[in-house]
Amino acid sequence: MPEYTISTADGDDWPTLGTNLAAVLQPRSFECEILEDSDVLTFRSGTATVCASWELLGTWYVDVEDAPSSEAADRLVAEMARQLAQATGQQAIHCRVTD
């Protein structure tokens, strides 16, 4: 199960996103079913279950389970990072921390 971080390029904290995380983090070009949208966002896209949570200062932690491939997981998280950057005006950097 790939795990990722999404942080700002300059190391600053992310602006507050409010309580509707799905509005910002749910990948728009993927068909998704929201399972939880509170202080943690959990959704299903195809066979993949994705969980995004605020872990460290300035860092989102994203866990992708049961994705059909590592590339599919990478595409989901890349889109999440792009949307987060667009919503906040920050440059986002995402990286895979485990396979």
Side-chain angles (χ1 to χ4, degrees):
M1 91 180 115
E3 298 173 354
Y4 301 81
T5 59
I6 304 174
S7 56
T8 60
D10 58 12
D12 288 343
D13 203 3
W14 290 104
T16 302
L17 296 181
T19 57
N20 186 1
L21 298 179
V24 176
L25 293 173
Q26 176 188 336
R28 293 181 195 108
S29 70
F30 291 84
E31 188 173 323
C32 299
E33 173 192 0
I34 301 298
L35 303 175
E36 180 182 354
D37 188 7
S38 57
D39 57 335
V40 172
L41 173 64
T42 305
F43 63 90
R44 188 171 292 121
S45 179
T47 61
T49 300
V50 181
C51 180
S53 62
W54 186 259
E55 294 293 321
L56 304 171
L57 186 61
T59 304
W60 283 95
Y61 173 80
V62 182
D63 174 56
V64 182
E65 295 183 15
D66 300 324
S69 66
S70 292
E71 293 77 19
D74 290 346
R75 286 191 302 273
L76 279 165
V77 176
E79 185 163 337
M80 292 171 73
R82 276 192 304 276
Q83 290 177 190
L84 186 57
Q86 290 170 347
T88 62
Q90 297 284 331
Q91 182 179 0
I93 295 176
H94 70 283
C95 65
R96 187 185 315 171
V97 293
T98 64
D99 285 325

